[in-house]
Amino acid sequence: MANANLHFKTNYEASSKIEPFYKGGKVQISKDEKHIFCACGSRVNVLEINTGKVVHSIEQDDQEDITSFALSFDDEVLVTASRALLLKQWDWKQAQCTRSWRAIHTIPIASMTFDSTSTLLATGGCDGTIKLWDIVKQYCTHNLKGSSGVVHLVQFHPDISLLLLFSSSLDCGIRVWDLRSSQCVSVLQSHYSAVTSLAFSPDGGTMVSSGRDKICTVWDLKTRKAKRTVPVYEAVEGVVLVPENEDHSLIGVKNKELHFITAGSKGVLRVWEASTSRCVYTQTLLSASGPGSEQEDEADGDPRSLTHLLSLSASARIATVTAEHNIVLYQMPGLATRQQFVGYNDEVLDVKFLGKEDSHIVVATNSCQIKVFELLTNSCQILYGHTDTVLSLDVFKKGSLFASCAKDKSVRVWRMDSASGQVCCVAQASSHANAVGSIAFSRMKESFIVSGSQDCTVKVWDLPQHISTTADSHHLTARVTEKAHDKDVNSVAVSPNDKLLASGSQDRTAKLWSLAGEGGLALLGVFRGHRRGVWAVCFSPVDQVLATSSADGTAKLWGLQDFSCLKTFEGHDASVLKIIFVSRGTQLLTSGSDGLVKLWTIKTNECVKTLDAHQDKVWGLHASRKDDKMVTGSADSNITIWTDVTEAELAEEQAKQEDQILKQQELSNLLHEKKYLKALGLSISLDQPHTVLKVIKAIRQGEDGPELLERTTLKLRVDQKESLLRYCAVWNTNARSCLDAQAVLQVLLTHLPPEDLLQYQGARAHLEGLIPYTERHMQRIGRLLQASMFLDYMWQKMRLTGAPASAGPDEEMDTSPVKDNQPLFVIDKGTGGGGEDDGEKRQAEEDDDDGDDSGHDEDPNCPMEEEDDEVSATKKASINGGRVGNGRNRKANGDQRAGSGESSGEEDEEDERDLRDQVAARTMACRPATSPPYLQTLTG
């Protein structure tokens, strides 16, 4: 009964994607704090903070990488600089370039910024010069020289009335430029390494600078001297001032003195008191597990090191950018994490649905971090714990627990709190001798996990009871360790009843193990047949069947009873990396190194659908518990959420069929009511050329067919006439429908000027296609006319025996049977014999022939020559006698010929040749001299 309502899936559609939007470089937040602008190669992506989705993507036409960009203070104008030394001004909301001009810099621009009025743009180049541009009047206002090396920092003083510009280059000094005089009025020397950021106090009298020399300097801008140097003991990439007149006691601010926040190589935010040079607050990374203090003391290569620090003063938030291109938003005053966005995932190695309603996905990338994405907002939670690349993930069926394994030889179990969505590590284990490449959860109860490693072993780890509710972190011990294969174990899977275990290895085999025994794993059988290593194994949820996928480009189904191969699925051009069952075990989903995901129906061995959304290996493939979605993760850094659209497409197809039936019925009614204009328009809208042809035939069959066709065709819209011309080009290729096509063409070519016709889409191609077929039809009609004229001639000169002499050619033929003793033709006797009776008979026959000729309605276009009228009965008799003599009845009819001995065979042949020449001359004279005028227009 369950399978009665089962429908095979036919298609998936990509409903959402998590794509890389930031690959390093500048990051800027809009003034309204709703969007984040990020550089990504040749594009600037605009990320909406509330939804976490890229809403706009501004891309260079020349595909040159963007070296810097700046957003105006009023959030209206975006200017980008590329390696092609072009500056482009964008209306970023419409993603349209409004203006572009050539930068006067000789080498690419490294930094740029707007002033507070959004009219002046400062650009710092790698050539050591600074140029200022008036965006409104569109000209260069200043060219400031004097910096040494790359100008990597330019910033206006917040008080624009002072017209001061601050810059820094490789000489580690901070230059102050007076824009009134275009001169450098001061150089602030304090740092011994690159200056990374500047922060100004609200009154503009104090400035804090940070550098990679592990110090921050507080400057008095009135005297342009350093007030205090604060050692921060880390390379600082960003500094912001703590807002005044607000309570920030949670981060150690106890007085109203100047405090600032730094972000640097240690990956934590720190709050400093400027007057005392004390660190009053250090952020604690709650997401880190294990020895976090050791990680804090790592060198600058720590992936958690911070590269940018931005202030969102209106919403009291702080934004940081990490070295792994993650953007994290913290809420003041407690610096609580609010949102995290992953700019670049690198290579996605595994992905699984997580949560009770599959509201999250957990992703393993080419890093030691695990990322948990909330699908609704794309906000990400980053989990720390592993110390090397995480290789594989598996989720328990209830969705709150999942396990991970990594190259650090360890296994970890994580739990997500259903209320808050926070994830924490609840168990860990490490006793493998090499990287752990696969892991699987038990299916019925949260009782054990199984791991497979590159040390060729499989381990079974028992989980403590109530692991899903306790907050303590447990250390697991392996209950069973088994050397399972001769090479790396790539995949392990547990059967739905928790009694069987399957493993797949690089040794080209898959093995079935029993988990029921107390003594350990018991080998039940080996599946042999793949020509390359086995990448994935999966149990069917309903049958005693195991599915495997291999690097030989095939997927196979195996019987668990006799370990034989039941089916082989071939279709991928490269390794098949993942395989899962869907549709209650009746269909398969596979993903491969060719970037394709294929849907297979097991019963028919048929590939139902191929999904192409990735450009590289698809390592991750998982289906939701409701079987209505799936997720794929690829080495191209893209994660795609797919939705089953089978039912939607079926409903849409049914709706289309119903609509087609209604329109067909309406068309029949219109034809019955002889409303040809509406019928023709409806059939053209349905895009049914055969139906249009039926309507055309119905119009032409009427009494005033040509006039009605002309009126109906000329009333059509232009697009309908275009379709009609396209249909005519197809109809004209068939002899059965060419007359209808020519009738429509006559109307179009006669009443429409050539200029209008050539404006139709594809008109030239259609007209060129009409010419050869039209010429062919004309030749066929000419041959038919010639043959019909010959028959007409024969009908005039021949009659049945017993017909009255007065019978005209237009009278009906006597089709009564001929008597046996009656000859078929009246044959004139030869000229060599006969008396007066014969001469009278010949004279009577000539008179009858003259009467026949006079009664025939001649074609006015066919001039009849006198020689044709004077063809003697003797010649006719000779020809008829010769033809009859050549047939089977020559002997029976030979006695009816008179004087045949006197007429020689040569004379008969000459007479027949003369007659043929006369008939041919008459036929050629009857052919039309010219084509119809509309065909002349077409062929000309």
Side-chain angles (χ1 to χ4, degrees), residues 17 28 135 149 222 325 357 401 560 629 636 689 739 746 800:
K17 284 186 176 183
Q28 186 173 349
I135 296 298
K222 294 180 180 179
H325 311 125
E357 300 295 331
L401 282 178
L560 299 184
K629 293 181 180 180
D636 60 5
L739 294 179
Q746 182 180 9
L800 293 174

Side-chain angles (χ1 to χ4, degrees), residues 435-510:
V436 186
S438 59
I439 195 164
F441 244 108
S442 56
R443 296 300 170 212
M444 298 184 68
K445 296 180 180 179
E446 303 164 348
S447 55
F448 63 90
I449 57 175
V450 180
S451 61
S453 170
Q454 293 180 8
D455 61 8
C456 307
T457 63
V458 171
K459 291 180 181 287
V460 182
W461 312 81
D462 286 326
L463 296 178
Q465 294 182 350
H466 311 295
I467 190 173
S468 60
T469 57
T470 59
D472 299 331
S473 180
H474 302 271
H475 287 274
L476 306 179
T477 56
R479 169 166 59 93
V480 176
T481 300
E482 184 74 29
K483 186 181 185 302
H485 292 273
D486 296 331
K487 292 185 178 180
D488 299 355
V489 180
N490 290 332
S491 178
V492 291
V494 179
S495 64
N497 60 2
D498 286 348
K499 294 183 179 180
L500 299 174
L501 170 67
S503 60
S505 170
Q506 283 294 109
D507 62 6
R508 299 179 291 180
T509 64

Side-chain angles (χ1 to χ4, degrees), residues 784-797:
L784 182 62
L785 180 59
Q786 181 178 349
S788 66
M789 293 304 296
F790 183 76
L791 291 175
D792 186 25
Y793 172 79
M794 295 299 295
W795 170 246
Q796 294 179 41
K797 301 304 179 182

Side-chain angles (χ1 to χ4, degrees), residues 697-773:
K697 289 180 179 295
I699 295 175
R700 296 185 66 228
Q701 288 173 358
E703 296 180 357
D704 55 345
E707 293 79 5
L708 183 58
L709 178 62
E710 181 178 332
R711 293 196 305 269
T712 306
T713 304
L714 294 177
K715 289 180 180 179
L716 294 175
R717 301 192 309 267
V718 174
D719 60 325
Q720 293 174 335
K721 291 177 184 176
E722 287 182 3
S723 301
L724 202 56
L725 180 61
R726 186 174 73 251
Y727 298 156
C728 285
V730 179
W731 298 339
N732 196 50
T733 61
N734 194 329
R736 295 181 179 179
S737 57
C738 67
L739 294 179
D740 302 291
Q742 293 292 332
V744 176
L745 283 173
Q746 182 180 9
V747 175
L748 294 177
L749 295 175
T750 304
H751 294 84
L752 296 178
E755 295 80 8
D756 293 348
L757 273 177
L758 292 177
Q759 295 299 322
Y760 291 175
Q761 185 177 3
R764 291 182 181 272
H766 297 326
L767 294 176
E768 289 175 0
L770 284 167
I771 293 174
Y773 283 100

